[in-house]
Amino acid sequence: MADDPTPAPPPLAESRRHQMFPVLSAAEIARIHRFGTVLHFKRGDRLFAAGEPGPGMFVLLKGSVTITQRDGLGHVLPIVTQGPGQFLAEVGQLSGAPALVDGHAEDEVDALLVPPGQLRALIIAEADLGERVVRALILRRVALIEAGASGPVLIGRPQSAAGGAAAKFLEPQRRTAPRGRHRAGHRRRRADGAVRRRRGRCTGGLPRRLGAGEPRRKPAGPLHGHGRYAEHPELFDVIVVGGGPAGLATAVYAASEGLQVMVLDCRAYGGQAGASARIENYLGFPTGISGQALAGRAYVQAQKFGVEMLIPAQAQSLDCAAKAIKGELHVKLTDGRTLRAKTVVVASGARYRRPEVPRLAEFEGRGVWYWASALEAKMCSQTEVVLVGGGNSAGQAAVFLSQHAAKVNMLVRGPSLAASMSRYLIDRIGATPISSCCRRPRWCKLHGDGNAGLSAVTWRNRKRGTEHDAECATCSFSSVPTRKPAGWTAAAWP
Ligand SMILES: Cc1cc2nc3c(=O)[nH]c(=O)nc-3n(C[C@H](O)[C@H](O)[C@H](O)COP(=O)(O)OP(=O)(O)OC[C@H]3O[C@@H](n4cnc5c(N)ncnc54)[C@H](O)[C@@H]3O)c2cc1C
């Protein structure tokens, strides 16, 4: 009998089209009027452009607008055409982040422009309408990512340190189902002939970024414009260092009380939780929620209340000298800027202990990783992976990686998984045929060369006295955090 494969679920854009592209009634548009200004566009006029700061949300009163995407290689791909009663925006418009797509008037267009600040005010003041708008904005971002139509094109070798770092920053951080991704994604390309012909004014080494806006070499800074990358002279009520669950929760509660809040993070919002495939012990989510979805919701919630996000931005030190005189604290960033606040909340997470393995530092970012996201899963596709650790994070990583790798070798320092891992994860690992577990191993060697990255790992099974080799390009550590907060100092405490 022929196989009867289960049909793949329809893409998000089809299954939830009515929620993504709702048509507002005349009464609903009338409620939005006080938040915006009516603008007129002629046929062919551009309402917004990929890579340029988004002006806000447009509600179409007359005419239609086509949304297209540029791939940085000269191709223009149509996404959707919207007409009267529909609105044009995605999540980034809550903060005025650079647009991911272009919007052109198909004919004479009248549109109500609601700028980012007013859009946030609308969502809060008009709760039911706000809920529909926010849901549409999130679904659109997710659909763009699902369709591979969002974000820049990154060119360079995945194993290079710079390429890896840029991908890490751009990757909707974690390994969850695409529906959980609220961040902009990216696409990767090799530097083939087509790419080289499109280099344009961009000279020098890889990786390069094409797509939204101008090509940029070795991109640094806010590629997706989380926050204004400028001076911030204002005095914030609260600065939160760290955009993990603790930092985002702080920001939401503080901003919802009307305080002016800034969250800064040196990597990405979501923190470690963003790496979790499925969080099952979070109150209120009986079927579990992916870390990425949780982080995405918290991020949008924070934006709704007007929290400023500065990502990437790394706090280097806290200066309390001005607290007694002016009542303000100074947070110094590694890029030289200083931010001022009445209160600073440090939510920078924990720093991880590294095992003493020879040449470990040499392979960090070149085959040695400290978590298992979609990026690492791609790298270890159909190869062996060595996973070090026996806690819940290691358990989640083992279950996740076993869907991609040829074999998952778990190395556990303790006598058994039961000493450090939840029962449900042990059971799931037990049901995974491609996982093996070595307890109390002794490390021998990491093999490979510094440029090409890790190629193999050797360890010894103390109990049996046997030595094992795994030819693998990925070794993931899931070790125990130390009590130290991650990487910055407080100077001149009062
Ligand atoms: C793979 C994985 C799975 C997990 N699964 C679960 C689970 O199922 N259930 C559960 O309860 N817990 C789980 N955890 C643990 C949970 O994610 C953490 O307890 C939680 O994220 C801690 O939150 P936090 O905000 O305190 O710190 P973090 O999440 O560590 O966030 C700290 C943030 O601060 C930023 N930062 C650090 N230093 C600076 C600086 N100097 N300047 C600017 N920013 C800085 C970091 O980039 C980071 O984003 C998991 C963790 C991992 C890695």
Side-chain angles (χ1 to χ4, degrees):
M1 206 169 84
D3 282 350
D4 181 17
T6 312
L12 190 66
E14 280 171 34
S15 64
R16 297 177 75 174
R17 175 163 281 273
H18 64 290
Q19 289 181 317
M20 283 172 70
F21 304 112
V23 181
L24 302 177
S25 66
E28 285 172 326
I29 294 176
R31 282 159 65 191
I32 300 177
H33 257 280
R34 68 187 166 104
F35 297 94
T37 317
V38 177
L39 301 177
H40 180 77
F41 299 92
K42 290 200 283 297
R43 184 164 191 257
D45 278 357
R46 202 171 64 177
L47 281 76
F48 46 85
E52 292 177 13
M57 177 176 88
F58 288 98
V59 182
L60 295 183
L61 307 174
K62 188 185 107 183
S64 54
V65 172
T66 296
I67 310 296
T68 53
Q69 190 235 342
R70 278 177 281 156
D71 71 354
L73 301 174
H75 309 123
V76 176
L77 312 167
I79 295 180
V80 70
T81 298
Q82 300 204 263
Q86 295 187 296
F87 54 87
L88 314 171
E90 59 84 48
V91 161
Q93 300 321 306
L94 286 168
S95 60
L100 298 171
V101 290
D102 297 325
H104 284 98
E106 284 289 310
D107 39 32
E108 297 287 310
V109 166
D110 285 335
L112 180 64
L113 173 61
V114 184
Q118 288 297 92
L119 179 55
R120 298 195 298 266
L122 161 77
I123 288 166
I124 290 170
E126 300 282 350
D128 56 329
L129 193 52
E131 191 186 321
R132 285 179 75 196
V133 170
V134 168
R135 185 175 298 124
L137 303 192
I138 293 173
L139 289 173
R140 288 173 188 188
R141 169 68 66 96
V142 175
L144 280 172
I145 292 171
E146 249 190 31
S150 86
V153 181
L154 189 64
I155 298 164
R157 282 189 307 118
Q159 287 289 8
S160 77
K168 197 94 203 157
F169 178 68
L170 290 166
E171 181 72 8
Q173 197 173 6
R174 317 304 172 210
R175 61 201 185 205
T176 54
R179 286 175 192 216
R181 298 169 170 180
H182 301 158
R183 308 203 289 185
H186 74 285
R187 286 156 291 147
R188 300 192 77 141
R189 274 197 72 131
R190 290 190 178 282
D192 57 15
V195 169
R196 288 181 198 286
R197 281 193 295 280
R198 293 286 304 179
R199 271 184 183 170
R201 292 189 277 114
C202 184
T203 57
L206 298 172
R208 292 204 178 78
R209 184 184 75 123
L210 300 176
E214 288 290 298
R216 279 168 61 172
R217 182 179 156 246
K218 296 189 177 171
L223 293 164
H224 285 298
H226 292 294
R228 295 170 282 135
Y229 210 69
E231 292 299 328
H232 280 277
E234 63 268 53
L235 177 65
F236 288 95
D237 292 313
V238 185
I239 287 180
V240 185
V241 179
L248 290 175
T250 305
V252 166
Y253 294 131
S256 65
E257 292 300 324
L259 299 176
Q260 199 187 354
V261 183
M262 153 79 80
V263 172
L264 50 102
D265 200 294
C266 53
R267 288 185 212 104
Y269 66 82
Q272 291 175 58
S276 185
R278 182 153 292 273
I279 297 175
E280 308 207 31
N281 59 349
Y282 201 83
L283 193 68
F285 293 91
T287 55
I289 181 167
S290 71
Q292 184 64 37
L294 188 69
R297 286 173 192 217
Y299 178 76
V300 172
Q301 200 175 5
Q303 292 227 308
K304 175 173 116 172
F305 289 116
V307 172
E308 289 252 13
M309 301 273 179
L310 204 57
I311 302 174
Q314 183 165 12
Q316 188 172 44
S317 63
L318 175 65
D319 189 343
C320 308
K323 180 72 181 160
I325 312 154
K326 293 201 274 180
E328 57 185 67
L329 297 159
H330 293 172
V331 176
K332 297 213 161 120
L333 306 187
T334 47
D335 62 15
R337 283 178 298 169
T338 298
L339 303 172
R340 304 183 305 133
K342 294 178 193 163
T343 305
V344 174
V345 176
V346 179
S348 56
R351 181 185 286 165
Y352 283 82
R353 224 169 29 216
R354 282 157 162 74
E356 286 182 15
V357 181
R359 301 184 69 194
L360 185 66
E362 198 183 325
F363 292 115
E364 282 180 359
R366 292 181 173 85
V368 169
W369 309 98
Y370 289 92
W371 55 31
S373 72
L375 215 58
E376 287 81 37
K378 261 185 227 161
M379 287 177 197
C380 70
S381 173
Q382 297 312 316
T383 66
E384 282 193 48
V385 59
V386 173
L387 180 64
V388 184
N392 279 352
S393 300
Q396 290 183 349
V399 173
F400 170 66
L401 290 176
S402 64
Q403 296 158 24
H404 301 269
K407 182 170 183 195
V408 179
N409 304 282
M410 289 190 79
L411 306 188
V412 181
R413 191 175 41 178
S416 75
L417 286 179
S420 49
M421 195 181 285
S422 297
R423 188 70 241 170
Y424 79 95
L425 282 169
I426 298 175
D427 292 344
R428 278 185 205 167
I429 292 170
T432 304
I434 62 161
S435 290
S436 77
C437 184
C438 172
R439 292 160 192 95
R440 299 190 194 282
R442 194 170 71 77
W443 277 99
C444 295
K445 269 184 194 154
L446 298 178
H447 309 268
D449 82 70
N451 285 328
L454 187 73
S455 59
V457 177
T458 307
W459 70 93
R460 176 178 280 275
N461 187 323
R462 282 184 216 255
K463 202 170 157 196
R464 294 193 193 142
T466 48
E467 202 157 277
H468 297 264
D469 281 313
E471 275 189 29
C472 62
T474 312
C475 181
S476 185
F477 287 86
S478 195
S479 40
V480 183
T482 64
R483 293 202 179 278
K484 269 191 202 168
W488 65 305
T489 57
W493 291 100

